[in-house]
Each structure stands twice: as C-alpha cells, then as structure tokens.
Amino acid sequence: MNRALFSGQRVPREYLLLPTNEYYRRRYRSKHRRRWLLLAAALLTMFVAAVGARAEQAIGLNDVKSGDLLFTGTEQGSYMPAVHLASRARIRVRGLLVEVQLQQEFVNRSDDWREAVYVLPLPDRAAVNGLEIQIGERRIVGKVRERTEAAKVYRAARAAGKRAALLEQQRPNLFTSRVANIAPGETVLVEIRYLEPLNYASGTFSLRLPTTLTPRYIPGAVATPGGLEKTNGLDETHGDEAMVLSTGSSGWALPTDQVPDAHKITPFMVPAGELSAAGSHRISVEVELEAGLPLADISSPYHDIDMKMQAEGRYSIRLRDGDVAMDRDFALYWRPRPSSMPRAALFSERVPEAADSKTGGTYLQLLLLPPDVKSNVRRLPREVVYVIDTSGSMGGNSIRQAKESLQLALSRLQPTDRFNVIEFNSATRALFPRPVAADDGNIVLARAQVEGLQANGGTEMAPALRLALGQQMPGADSLVHQVVFITDGAVGNERGLFELIQQSLGDARLFTVGIGSAPNSHFMQKAAQFGRGSSVTIGDLGEVQERMQALFARLENPLATDLQLQWPKGLVVDAYPKRIPDLYRGEPLQLVAEVQGDLGGEVQLRGRLAGKQFVQRLMLNGGATGKSAGIGSVWARARIAELRDQQLQSGEQSEAGTALRSEILGLALAHQLVSPYTSFVAVEEVVARTRNEDFAKTPVPNMVPRGQILQRQAYPRTAAGLYGQLIAAAALLGLGGLMRRGRCSGARLRREFRRTLRRLLPMPRRTCSLRERQLLVLK
C-alpha cells in the first residue's frame, strides 16, 4: 500500500486541537470508578450466591422470606433456619423382640404456619406399625394406606388447613416424617411405634437406636427432564404418578440416573454445636429390659447409663444425663451368665381369626445355636482382599478407626495367606495388581501405605467392589476367598451395589465392617447377606480391638454349612429367611415363621460343621417356649424384605416385579406396616388454619454425627459452598489488585522509558519543524 495516496497535507502540531490534560484526567477517573464498581458487583453477587448455598448459614430476621423456622444462632444477632426437635424413646425388650415408642416433638417458634419435614433414621429391620399425632389433649391415630393414596390424603388435609402427619419409607432404615399446619407457637407431638428382632451373637444380646445419619454420597449424572423419576411421593403436585424434577424438595441433592430419589434421602446437616446451642435435637432413652435370664453385665458403649434391677432378669435403664445430643447411635449390650447362656429359644404369638383381617394365625420366633467347636480345627489358608473407604465422609474419627482396624487385620495374616489392599474414594487404587503372599516384606509395605491414607473425595463404591470381587487368582481354588469391606456405607445407590455383589461374588465371602457414629446399617447388613458373610460395627476407636476380634473369629473358624430345618409333619410353615444362611462361630440361627396346624413335636436343625454332620433339636411345645405379641408384624416385615430381594433379581418394572409389588402391598396393608408401597397418614378432621393464612414448608436438619466433619457432598455437586466461593472471591480480588498494580507499574515504566529516550535522542518531527521554521526566517 502506498501511504502517500492517503496522506493529506501535513499540519503543524501547534495548530492542532489536541485533548488537554484535564480531559485525560477525567477519563482516567471515570474508567477507574467503573472498574471498581464492576469488581464490587461481582463480589456481591458471589457472596449472595454463597449464602444461599450454605445450609447452616446464619441469617437475619429480615431475611426470612423462604418459610424457615429460626433458632438463635451461635453469634449474637444471628439466627439459623431449623425446626425445634426433641425426641424421647421408650424401649421395651421382651423375649427376642424390641418394642420402641419414639416420640418426636416439633415446636413452631415463628409467627407463621409451618409444615415440618424430617428425615428419620430407624433400624434396618424395624417393622413400623404405629403412628399418632398429639396436639394438646387430642390424639389422632394414623392408618396405613397405599403410598399414593396416603400422599393424596395428606396433601388434601394440608391444603384444607387440617393438621396431619405422614410417614413414608425411603429406605428400610430411612423414613420421611411430615407434619402439616403447625400453628405459630404450637407444639405437635408425633409418636412412631415399631418392632424389631433382637441381635444375638457370640453370647451377647444387643439393640441399636439410630438418632442421626451420615450424609449419603449421590453418584451418577443429574437426571434430565426427559429421564426424570417416576414417583408417587409428596413432592409431586399433579396427578397420582407424575414425572417431576423435585427441585422444591427438602433435600440438597437432585435426582440422578443412579439415585432417582436422591432429593428424599439427603437432608441438610447442621453441626451439633449449633443445634445444641439452640437447645434442639436432644433425645432421652428409657429401656425396660425383661431378659428372662440372670445377666452377667449390661453396658452402653457410647452413652453413660444408670440401671436398676426390678427383679431377677428385669432391669430399668436410663441415660445418666437425662437427655443427650442426637449425634450418634444409642447401643445397649447385655450378656447372660455363662451357666444361663441360651442354646435355643422359641416364642409364639396366636392372632385370632377375624372376618375383616388376613393376619390371623400362629407365628413363631426361633433362635437355635449350632454346636460349638472347641477341638483343634485345621486353619485353611486364605486369600483376603481388604477394601478401605477413604472418602470425605470418613474424615475425622472414622478414618482413624478404619486404619486401626485394617492394621489389626494385617497383623493376623499368616505366611500361607495371600492378601491385597484396595483404597477407594472418587477413584480406586490397589496396592498390588493381584493378591500377594503375606510375607514380612509385603506386610510392612502394606502397613506403611495404610498409615498414610487420608479421607477425601467422593464414595464411588462400585468400581472398588468390582475390583475386589475380581481379584481371585486363577488356580487358587485351595484358598478361602474373603473380602473385608471397611466403610461407613454412606451411599444412596444401595440396590445397584447389591445387584453388583450378587453378580460378581463367585465363591468369595464378603464381610462388612461398619465405621462411625451413624453408619448405614441397611447397607452393612444387606451387603453381608448377599455376600454370604457377616457384619460388625465399630462406633468408637476403643471398640476396634474387641469388634475386630469378633470378626477374626468368624473369618478364621469353620462355618456351619448346608443348613436345613426340618419341621414336624402336619405343620404348614412359611419361615424367613427363606434360604438359611451359613453360620459363623457364635452366630445362631434366627428366623420367624407363620405356621398352620397344631404345635407339637420337635424341629430339627441339620448341617455340617468342621466336616461333620450335626443335628440340633428343639421341642415346639417344650420348656423353652414363651408367648410374645408382635411376632406377626416382624414376620410380615421379614417376608416383605424377602420379596424385595426377589424384585432385585427380576426388576421392579418387569411383569414379575409388578406381581411382587402387589404381594408386598397386600401384605403391608393387612399387617398395617409401612413399606416401599404403603405409608402411614393421620389427619385431624378439624380445620385449624383458614385459607387466607399462608404456610411454608420447613426442612428439619439432621445433626452431623459425632467425630465427623461436615462434608462438601452435603451440598449439591454443582455448588462450591460458602467457603469455596469466598476463597474464589478473595482470589479474584487479589488478582484484580495485582493486575491494577501491574498496569500502574507498567505505565510508569513506559513513561520513564520515553523520557530517557527524549533526553538521549532528538525528536525528528520537532527537529524538522524547527529547521523548516529557520529556513522560512532566512528566506
């Protein structure tokens, strides 16, 4: 390009109208203000978003527009969204049954009408058979209905301004409790009743009452509107079965392709200190223990208790401090004297036939121990794969308990054994590609690796299970294959994992070690059941030695296998578990049965133990027989669990799965039990709230379990939480400051450079202009 073509006549600089210094100064000030305003707006936006994402964030009274009840926060002038909750558990132990009355008190301290929504943890084998609500002196008894119908009844009552309560099952050990139309300043008492069988192993009876839960990890991709959950819960407002994305639910997670009901099992978690400061989430526990046997000792490993003997084998037990924070399971253990240690027990319940009832009949609850083996039994070499959970939910005391347990397990290996260690969180890592010999070098290496493990990340359990169950060495048929899984079980895709265990187990046995103050007992027990193994729970660092010793006794001692139960002729028996599992040392056979016919004769347990046949006999009408109410409900609950297991194999939406659904529904309605397809609903007929008064839904948080750290997975996976966003904001602010300082420094450097050049070199334009002017003067 020839620039001469586009160049006009040169104009002397002094004749040009150039911007003044004042113009540049004002322009600089204007740009300066705009930059700061933009930065301030960005920071304000991020701060507001972060406040909205935090569950336990304290807020001011003027911020209450979303319908939350408030508690006074830990800081003066701040408040925390929550519902005041107090619980009282009355437990009665009779024979082999536990009866529990759990009263929960919801207090509305706001000036508006409220609906409280609370995720309630219960034992995994609880048969929930009662619901009542109490307002003042009035009591309203609930009734079990089909789940969709119960939700509709509750929704209608809520809209009409009537007080109502609804109890829905989300998992066998996780329920949702809703209470509608709590008036300002009013207290509503909800009473839930359930039954469960006692635990008995290694000569010790035990019961466990969960009071909170470990936040579940939700794997999978968030469901798209085209792939939403088909659900009949209460978050839906259109039709009986609607396809909705439950973004308005009380949970922090959205449904995913692996956990379609994620929003129903992910309550907000609040640290114990904040709830305790507000006087909320306290529980008192009273136990009436009718053991029927002289006891050697009674203990509660996690709480201080006071006990008083009422009569031989009968005790009353209370918490020493009256009430405690709902931050860990309450556990109670009692052991009979050695001379009174039971080898067999049988209890029965006779339910009269009624015209409108399908539950009439005779029900049995049986406990039978195989013979003990005290002779020298040859220990078979083992191939053990240890799997340890190092996800974020294992942070705090849990990871210390898990590492201590694994170190103890490694120390028990013999040179003839083979082993491997697999760690998992968001990723899965194996210490060795395949199991190696348990020699000193490999054991030392493994112990050093375990000592350095840290808890962090998600809980992608499926790849770890798949890797562990696929570790069997070719040609290693002479080894006993075992997988020891150490975890808190805090996942939401339990059924998918059970299906994986069923498909990949092979001839291995899966043992689970539940870690933490509130492990997922449903996952622990059911995974061990599908894995043909056993389960232990460790809730405190001081329990590691004792609990792991109990596990070692099961790992290293022979099984009672090929078990068969032979009933007297003439009896028609429907007993559960349907398939009698193998029994490890110290484990009894426990089952419940519905029988038709006259009780008489003897029941025989046959099997193989240490290579020998054995037979245990129990007279059905002998001295060990007692009577106990409620066995029918426990039998129905066990049958429902068996039918759900069959659904896992056939698929819930298949033709066989649909038939099983109908069977479960009929059974739950007949026995008035909460199930996946039935719910309890209680409605007061009196209208309490007029239509011109609004109400708001209030999620009730759960307390963070003791010893655990509030994890980021308690938030939606797309949110970074308050601290994360504040750190990002601080980083951006710092970056902006550095850029501004760098720009100022760069401008100063450029100015200094130009001044230096001007002093050293003449300016061509100015020189030319002066020469031209001199020539003009000479002319």
Side-chain angles (χ1 to χ4, degrees), residues 707-744:
Q708 292 188 3
I709 301 170
L710 188 61
Q711 297 299 306
R712 281 181 56 185
Q713 62 258 36
Y715 302 101
R717 301 182 70 189
T718 53
L722 175 63
Y723 294 120
Q725 297 197 39
L726 285 180
I727 291 173
L732 288 175
L733 180 62
L735 180 62
L738 289 174
M739 291 177 63
R740 180 176 177 275
R741 185 172 181 178
R743 181 171 295 181
C744 294

Short mmCIF file of all heavy atoms in Angstrom, two decimals, residues 707-744:
data_model
loop_
_atom_site.label_atom_id
_atom_site.label_comp_id
_atom_site.label_asym_id
_atom_site.label_seq_id
_atom_site.Cartn_x
_atom_site.Cartn_y
_atom_site.Cartn_z
N GLY A 707 -17.75 -36.81 65.73
CA GLY A 707 -16.45 -37.22 65.20
C GLY A 707 -16.31 -37.05 63.71
O GLY A 707 -15.24 -37.29 63.18
N GLN A 708 -17.39 -36.64 63.01
CA GLN A 708 -17.31 -36.46 61.57
C GLN A 708 -17.22 -34.99 61.22
O GLN A 708 -17.63 -34.12 61.99
CB GLN A 708 -18.52 -37.08 60.87
CG GLN A 708 -18.55 -38.60 60.96
CD GLN A 708 -19.64 -39.18 60.09
OE1 GLN A 708 -20.34 -38.48 59.38
NE2 GLN A 708 -19.79 -40.49 60.16
N ILE A 709 -16.69 -34.72 60.05
CA ILE A 709 -16.54 -33.37 59.55
C ILE A 709 -17.60 -33.14 58.49
O ILE A 709 -17.81 -34.00 57.62
CB ILE A 709 -15.13 -33.16 58.96
CG1 ILE A 709 -14.07 -33.43 60.04
CG2 ILE A 709 -14.98 -31.76 58.39
CD1 ILE A 709 -12.67 -33.48 59.49
N LEU A 710 -18.29 -32.00 58.58
CA LEU A 710 -19.32 -31.69 57.59
C LEU A 710 -18.69 -31.65 56.21
O LEU A 710 -17.78 -30.85 55.95
CB LEU A 710 -19.98 -30.35 57.91
CG LEU A 710 -21.21 -29.99 57.07
CD1 LEU A 710 -22.31 -31.02 57.25
CD2 LEU A 710 -21.72 -28.60 57.42
N GLN A 711 -19.16 -32.51 55.32
CA GLN A 711 -18.53 -32.67 54.02
C GLN A 711 -19.19 -31.81 52.95
O GLN A 711 -20.35 -31.45 53.05
CB GLN A 711 -18.60 -34.14 53.59
CG GLN A 711 -17.83 -35.05 54.51
CD GLN A 711 -16.37 -34.68 54.55
OE1 GLN A 711 -15.71 -34.61 53.53
NE2 GLN A 711 -15.85 -34.43 55.74
N ARG A 712 -18.43 -31.58 51.89
CA ARG A 712 -18.97 -30.81 50.78
C ARG A 712 -20.05 -31.57 50.03
O ARG A 712 -20.84 -30.97 49.34
CB ARG A 712 -17.85 -30.43 49.81
CG ARG A 712 -17.03 -29.26 50.29
CD ARG A 712 -15.96 -28.91 49.29
NE ARG A 712 -16.55 -28.65 47.99
CZ ARG A 712 -15.83 -28.42 46.91
NH1 ARG A 712 -14.53 -28.39 46.98
NH2 ARG A 712 -16.41 -28.20 45.75
N GLN A 713 -20.06 -32.92 50.16
CA GLN A 713 -21.12 -33.63 49.46
C GLN A 713 -22.46 -33.42 50.10
O GLN A 713 -23.46 -33.93 49.66
CB GLN A 713 -20.82 -35.11 49.35
CG GLN A 713 -20.72 -35.84 50.65
CD GLN A 713 -19.29 -36.08 51.01
OE1 GLN A 713 -18.43 -35.25 50.74
NE2 GLN A 713 -18.98 -37.22 51.58
N ALA A 714 -22.48 -32.67 51.25
CA ALA A 714 -23.77 -32.29 51.83
C ALA A 714 -24.42 -31.19 51.02
O ALA A 714 -25.52 -30.78 51.32
CB ALA A 714 -23.59 -31.83 53.27
N TYR A 715 -23.73 -30.70 49.98
CA TYR A 715 -24.27 -29.68 49.10
C TYR A 715 -24.46 -30.26 47.71
O TYR A 715 -23.89 -31.29 47.38
CB TYR A 715 -23.30 -28.49 49.01
CG TYR A 715 -23.01 -27.87 50.34
CD1 TYR A 715 -21.82 -28.16 50.99
CD2 TYR A 715 -23.92 -27.04 50.95
CE1 TYR A 715 -21.54 -27.61 52.21
CE2 TYR A 715 -23.65 -26.48 52.17
CZ TYR A 715 -22.46 -26.76 52.80
OH TYR A 715 -22.20 -26.21 54.01
N PRO A 716 -25.25 -29.60 46.90
CA PRO A 716 -25.36 -30.07 45.52
C PRO A 716 -23.98 -30.13 44.88
O PRO A 716 -23.11 -29.31 45.17
CB PRO A 716 -26.25 -29.02 44.86
CG PRO A 716 -27.01 -28.41 45.97
CD PRO A 716 -26.12 -28.47 47.16
N ARG A 717 -23.81 -31.09 43.99
CA ARG A 717 -22.50 -31.28 43.39
C ARG A 717 -22.11 -30.10 42.52
O ARG A 717 -20.96 -29.95 42.16
CB ARG A 717 -22.51 -32.56 42.56
CG ARG A 717 -22.85 -33.77 43.39
CD ARG A 717 -22.80 -35.02 42.58
NE ARG A 717 -21.44 -35.36 42.23
CZ ARG A 717 -21.13 -36.31 41.37
NH1 ARG A 717 -22.07 -36.98 40.80
NH2 ARG A 717 -19.88 -36.59 41.10
N THR A 718 -23.09 -29.28 42.14
CA THR A 718 -22.77 -28.12 41.32
C THR A 718 -22.43 -26.91 42.14
O THR A 718 -22.09 -25.87 41.61
CB THR A 718 -23.96 -27.77 40.43
OG1 THR A 718 -25.12 -27.62 41.27
CG2 THR A 718 -24.23 -28.87 39.44
N ALA A 719 -22.57 -26.97 43.45
CA ALA A 719 -22.30 -25.82 44.30
C ALA A 719 -20.98 -26.00 45.01
O ALA A 719 -20.57 -27.09 45.34
CB ALA A 719 -23.42 -25.67 45.34
N ALA A 720 -20.29 -24.90 45.25
CA ALA A 720 -18.99 -24.97 45.89
C ALA A 720 -19.07 -24.67 47.36
O ALA A 720 -18.10 -24.81 48.07
CB ALA A 720 -18.03 -24.01 45.22
N GLY A 721 -20.24 -24.22 47.86
CA GLY A 721 -20.34 -23.89 49.27
C GLY A 721 -19.83 -22.50 49.55
O GLY A 721 -19.19 -21.84 48.72
N LEU A 722 -20.10 -22.03 50.74
CA LEU A 722 -19.77 -20.65 51.08
C LEU A 722 -18.27 -20.42 51.08
O LEU A 722 -17.77 -19.48 50.46
CB LEU A 722 -20.34 -20.34 52.46
CG LEU A 722 -19.98 -18.97 53.02
CD1 LEU A 722 -20.53 -17.87 52.14
CD2 LEU A 722 -20.49 -18.83 54.44
N TYR A 723 -17.55 -21.29 51.76
CA TYR A 723 -16.12 -21.04 51.90
C TYR A 723 -15.42 -21.11 50.55
O TYR A 723 -14.52 -20.33 50.25
CB TYR A 723 -15.52 -22.05 52.87
CG TYR A 723 -16.01 -21.87 54.27
CD1 TYR A 723 -16.67 -22.91 54.91
CD2 TYR A 723 -15.85 -20.66 54.93
CE1 TYR A 723 -17.16 -22.74 56.20
CE2 TYR A 723 -16.33 -20.49 56.22
CZ TYR A 723 -16.98 -21.53 56.85
OH TYR A 723 -17.46 -21.37 58.11
N GLY A 724 -15.84 -22.07 49.73
CA GLY A 724 -15.22 -22.18 48.42
C GLY A 724 -15.43 -20.93 47.59
O GLY A 724 -14.52 -20.42 46.94
N GLN A 725 -16.66 -20.38 47.63
CA GLN A 725 -16.93 -19.19 46.84
C GLN A 725 -16.25 -17.96 47.42
O GLN A 725 -15.80 -17.07 46.69
CB GLN A 725 -18.44 -18.98 46.75
CG GLN A 725 -19.12 -20.15 46.03
CD GLN A 725 -20.51 -19.81 45.55
OE1 GLN A 725 -20.74 -18.70 45.08
NE2 GLN A 725 -21.41 -20.75 45.67
N LEU A 726 -16.15 -17.89 48.76
CA LEU A 726 -15.45 -16.75 49.34
C LEU A 726 -13.96 -16.80 49.00
O LEU A 726 -13.33 -15.78 48.73
CB LEU A 726 -15.64 -16.74 50.85
CG LEU A 726 -17.03 -16.29 51.32
CD1 LEU A 726 -17.09 -16.33 52.84
CD2 LEU A 726 -17.35 -14.89 50.82
N ILE A 727 -13.40 -18.00 49.00
CA ILE A 727 -11.99 -18.13 48.61
C ILE A 727 -11.81 -17.71 47.16
O ILE A 727 -10.85 -17.01 46.80
CB ILE A 727 -11.51 -19.58 48.84
CG1 ILE A 727 -11.45 -19.86 50.35
CG2 ILE A 727 -10.16 -19.81 48.20
CD1 ILE A 727 -11.16 -21.31 50.68
N ALA A 728 -12.75 -18.13 46.31
CA ALA A 728 -12.66 -17.73 44.90
C ALA A 728 -12.77 -16.23 44.77
O ALA A 728 -12.05 -15.59 43.97
CB ALA A 728 -13.76 -18.42 44.10
N ALA A 729 -13.69 -15.63 45.57
CA ALA A 729 -13.83 -14.17 45.51
C ALA A 729 -12.56 -13.48 45.96
O ALA A 729 -12.10 -12.49 45.34
CB ALA A 729 -15.01 -13.73 46.38
N ALA A 730 -11.93 -13.98 47.03
CA ALA A 730 -10.69 -13.39 47.51
C ALA A 730 -9.58 -13.53 46.48
O ALA A 730 -8.78 -12.60 46.26
CB ALA A 730 -10.27 -14.05 48.83
N ALA A 731 -9.56 -14.69 45.81
CA ALA A 731 -8.53 -14.88 44.79
C ALA A 731 -8.72 -13.92 43.63
O ALA A 731 -7.76 -13.33 43.12
CB ALA A 731 -8.58 -16.33 44.29
N LEU A 732 -9.98 -13.72 43.22
CA LEU A 732 -10.24 -12.77 42.13
C LEU A 732 -9.89 -11.35 42.54
O LEU A 732 -9.36 -10.56 41.75
CB LEU A 732 -11.71 -12.86 41.72
CG LEU A 732 -12.11 -14.13 40.96
CD1 LEU A 732 -13.62 -14.14 40.73
CD2 LEU A 732 -11.37 -14.18 39.61
N LEU A 733 -10.20 -11.01 43.79
CA LEU A 733 -9.87 -9.67 44.28
C LEU A 733 -8.36 -9.45 44.26
O LEU A 733 -7.86 -8.40 43.83
CB LEU A 733 -10.41 -9.50 45.69
CG LEU A 733 -10.15 -8.13 46.35
CD1 LEU A 733 -10.82 -7.02 45.55
CD2 LEU A 733 -10.66 -8.13 47.78
N GLY A 734 -7.64 -10.46 44.73
CA GLY A 734 -6.19 -10.35 44.72
C GLY A 734 -5.64 -10.24 43.31
O GLY A 734 -4.73 -9.44 43.04
N LEU A 735 -6.23 -11.03 42.40
CA LEU A 735 -5.78 -10.98 41.01
C LEU A 735 -6.04 -9.61 40.41
O LEU A 735 -5.21 -9.05 39.68
CB LEU A 735 -6.49 -12.07 40.21
CG LEU A 735 -6.12 -12.17 38.73
CD1 LEU A 735 -4.64 -12.50 38.58
CD2 LEU A 735 -6.97 -13.22 38.02
N GLY A 736 -7.23 -9.05 40.72
CA GLY A 736 -7.54 -7.72 40.22
C GLY A 736 -6.56 -6.68 40.73
O GLY A 736 -6.12 -5.79 40.00
N GLY A 737 -6.22 -6.80 42.04
CA GLY A 737 -5.26 -5.85 42.61
C GLY A 737 -3.90 -5.95 41.96
O GLY A 737 -3.25 -4.94 41.67
N LEU A 738 -3.47 -7.20 41.73
CA LEU A 738 -2.17 -7.39 41.08
C LEU A 738 -2.17 -6.83 39.67
O LEU A 738 -1.20 -6.20 39.23
CB LEU A 738 -1.82 -8.88 41.06
CG LEU A 738 -1.47 -9.49 42.42
CD1 LEU A 738 -1.28 -10.99 42.28
CD2 LEU A 738 -0.18 -8.85 42.95
N MET A 739 -3.29 -7.06 38.94
CA MET A 739 -3.35 -6.55 37.57
C MET A 739 -3.32 -5.02 37.57
O MET A 739 -2.66 -4.38 36.74
CB MET A 739 -4.63 -7.05 36.89
CG MET A 739 -4.61 -8.56 36.62
SD MET A 739 -6.14 -9.15 35.90
CE MET A 739 -6.14 -8.24 34.34
N ARG A 740 -4.05 -4.39 38.52
CA ARG A 740 -4.07 -2.94 38.56
C ARG A 740 -2.68 -2.39 38.92
O ARG A 740 -2.18 -1.44 38.30
CB ARG A 740 -5.08 -2.48 39.60
CG ARG A 740 -5.19 -0.97 39.73
CD ARG A 740 -6.27 -0.58 40.71
NE ARG A 740 -6.30 0.87 40.86
CZ ARG A 740 -5.52 1.54 41.69
NH1 ARG A 740 -4.65 0.89 42.45
NH2 ARG A 740 -5.59 2.86 41.77
N ARG A 741 -2.07 -3.06 39.90
CA ARG A 741 -0.74 -2.60 40.29
C ARG A 741 0.26 -2.80 39.16
O ARG A 741 1.10 -1.96 38.88
CB ARG A 741 -0.28 -3.37 41.53
CG ARG A 741 1.04 -2.88 42.08
CD ARG A 741 1.34 -3.53 43.40
NE ARG A 741 2.59 -3.03 43.94
CZ ARG A 741 3.10 -3.40 45.10
NH1 ARG A 741 2.42 -4.25 45.84
NH2 ARG A 741 4.25 -2.90 45.52
N GLY A 742 0.10 -3.94 38.46
CA GLY A 742 1.00 -4.19 37.35
C GLY A 742 0.80 -3.20 36.23
O GLY A 742 1.75 -2.74 35.59
N ARG A 743 -0.52 -2.84 36.00
CA ARG A 743 -0.78 -1.85 34.96
C ARG A 743 -0.17 -0.50 35.31
O ARG A 743 0.42 0.17 34.46
CB ARG A 743 -2.29 -1.73 34.75
CG ARG A 743 -2.67 -0.74 33.68
CD ARG A 743 -4.14 -0.81 33.37
NE ARG A 743 -4.47 -2.09 32.78
CZ ARG A 743 -5.69 -2.41 32.40
NH1 ARG A 743 -6.67 -1.56 32.54
NH2 ARG A 743 -5.93 -3.60 31.88
N CYS A 744 -0.32 -0.09 36.58
CA CYS A 744 0.26 1.20 37.00
C CYS A 744 1.78 1.16 36.87
O CYS A 744 2.42 2.11 36.39
CB CYS A 744 -0.14 1.51 38.44
SG CYS A 744 -1.91 1.79 38.65
#
